[in-house]
Structure formats: structure tokens, C-alpha cells
Amino acid sequence: MKLFTFDPAPNPKRLQLFIDYKGIHLDTTQVDLMAKEQLEPEFRAVNPAGTVPALVLDDGTVLTEVIGACVYLEEQYPEKPLLGTTALERAQVFSWDHRLFNTCLGAVAEILRNGNPAFAGRALPGPLEIPQIPELVERGRLRLAPAFKAADAALADSPFLAGDSVSLADIDLLVSIEFAGWVKESVPEGCDNIQAWLPRAKEALGIS
């Protein structure tokens, strides 16, 4: 297998934390998003959508979505599970993955891609020329705090987002918090459960 990625970006970081926790070693190539290498013909030949991460399997299949890559790697490397071990746990992990992707990560992406001049004409990932919509910056900021508060509420009665064990859901929340810092946003005051969870999640994932 070969992984095309860009370590600083949030979606690649979600997958890399998953890989690191499981101790998987992959042939890895960095695709510099700052230099727009994802739009060059060489990488578009790998992933026409021009997005990272992209996991190329031994048979040539390319997985371009984090959740798809995680499902595949979980099957190949089942030790130290991150997607749950029962039907209910898996349902909870996938539900949180979907929720955080569409709320926290999506809200920050709205703020960043519609408010930063570096993304002019590229308000969505990929090769399409999509104009920025400045109003989405404020909408993203309005969405973010309630999303974090929902996660905080879930952590009131559980050590981790999807139960008693660390999972991809916790990785998603960690990355969401870091990504929010890119647009000068943070976990709202009063989210004491998230603050208590942060060192616990980092320790469980082996993050210093």
C-alpha cells in the first residue's frame, strides 16, 4: 500500500492518527497543498478529485475518503480496534464520525475556505473553481460552538465519545479542536467535560 497525504491538513491527520495508533507502516508521499501539488497532473492521475489523503491498495484500488481507508485498515489490522467491537459500538463510532465531520470540521472549513484569500476561487476542496461565499464565514462560526457543546454533553457520562474505549470518534474531535485554531476559534468556555477528556484521549492514543 501507498499513502499520499499532507501531514498538517485535518483529514490527513485524522487518518495518520488512526495509522499511528495501530502501528501500521506505509510507504508515504507528501503532497504539498500549500504549493497546490494536489492539482498537478501527477497527483490527479492518482486521485482525479485532487484531495488527500489517498490510500492506494496493492491491487491499485484508491481509497480517497478517510472513513473508507479506516474501515479497510481496521479489517487488515484488527488489533487495537478504533471502530468498535460490537454492532452498537460501531454504530456509535460511525454516527459520531459523521456528526463531527458535518458539524465541527465542516464549520471550520466554511470559515477557512470562504474567508481566507488563499482559497479565492477554491472554496471547496478539489479542482473545481468554486467562488467564496463570505456569508458562510459567519454561518460557520455560529455552527461551531453548538457542535462542541454537543460533544461536551456526550462526554458527561462516558470517558470517550463512543463508549469506554478510544475510537476514531475521539480522533475526529481532537482534530476538530486543532483545526478550529486555524481560524482562531476554540472550545467554548464551560465545556469542562471536553477539557477533562483531552489529556485522557491523548494518553489513550499515545499522543505526547
Side-chain angles (χ1 to χ4, degrees), residues 65-82:
E65 307 303 322
V66 172
I67 189 61
C70 288
V71 168
Y72 181 82
L73 292 173
E74 183 91 343
E75 289 287 331
Q76 300 300 309
Y77 301 89
E79 295 299 317
K80 301 175 69 176
L82 282 169

Side-chain angles (χ1 to χ4, degrees), residues 5-53:
T5 191
F6 183 59
D7 287 343
N11 276 327
K13 182 159 288 187
R14 293 168 63 211
L15 181 55
Q16 192 61 53
L17 288 173
F18 189 99
I19 289 169
D20 290 345
Y21 177 78
K22 284 182 167 287
I24 303 169
H25 300 284
L26 297 175
D27 180 11
T28 301
T29 295
Q30 296 291 319
V31 179
D32 190 344
L33 302 188
M34 303 303 292
K36 300 182 180 179
E37 289 181 356
Q38 76 276 22
L39 303 178
E40 296 295 329
E42 293 81 4
F43 181 66
R44 294 284 302 283
V46 176
N47 178 14
T51 59
V52 289

Side-chain angles (χ1 to χ4, degrees), residues 1-162:
M1 291 185 285
K2 182 167 185 176
L3 177 65
F4 292 85
T5 191
F6 183 59
D7 287 343
N11 276 327
K13 182 159 288 187
R14 293 168 63 211
L15 181 55
Q16 192 61 53
L17 288 173
F18 189 99
I19 289 169
D20 290 345
Y21 177 78
K22 284 182 167 287
I24 303 169
H25 300 284
L26 297 175
D27 180 11
T28 301
T29 295
Q30 296 291 319
V31 179
D32 190 344
L33 302 188
M34 303 303 292
K36 300 182 180 179
E37 289 181 356
Q38 76 276 22
L39 303 178
E40 296 295 329
E42 293 81 4
F43 181 66
R44 294 284 302 283
V46 176
N47 178 14
T51 59
V52 289
L55 180 64
V56 182
L57 308 186
D58 292 341
D59 67 357
T61 301
V62 183
L63 301 176
T64 60
E65 307 303 322
V66 172
I67 189 61
C70 288
V71 168
Y72 181 82
L73 292 173
E74 183 91 343
E75 289 287 331
Q76 300 300 309
Y77 301 89
E79 295 299 317
K80 301 175 69 176
L82 282 169
L83 298 181
T85 57
T86 68
L88 179 57
E89 287 175 355
R90 285 190 291 274
Q92 291 172 327
V93 172
F94 284 118
S95 293
W96 272 110
D97 174 81
H98 187 74
R99 186 183 305 178
L100 291 168
F101 186 81
N102 284 293
T103 56
C104 293
L105 290 165
V108 177
E110 279 191 339
I111 299 166
L112 179 67
R113 300 193 74 100
N114 289 283
N116 190 319
F119 292 98
R122 296 180 51 245
L124 291 175
L128 298 179
E129 294 185 6
I130 304 293
Q132 292 175 318
I133 302 175
E135 292 82 1
L136 291 181
V137 175
E138 181 58 23
R139 189 179 82 168
R141 296 193 189 280
L142 290 172
R143 293 173 60 202
L144 193 54
F148 280 134
K149 289 178 181 179
D152 185 76
L155 288 166
D157 301 312
S158 178
F160 299 102
L161 269 181

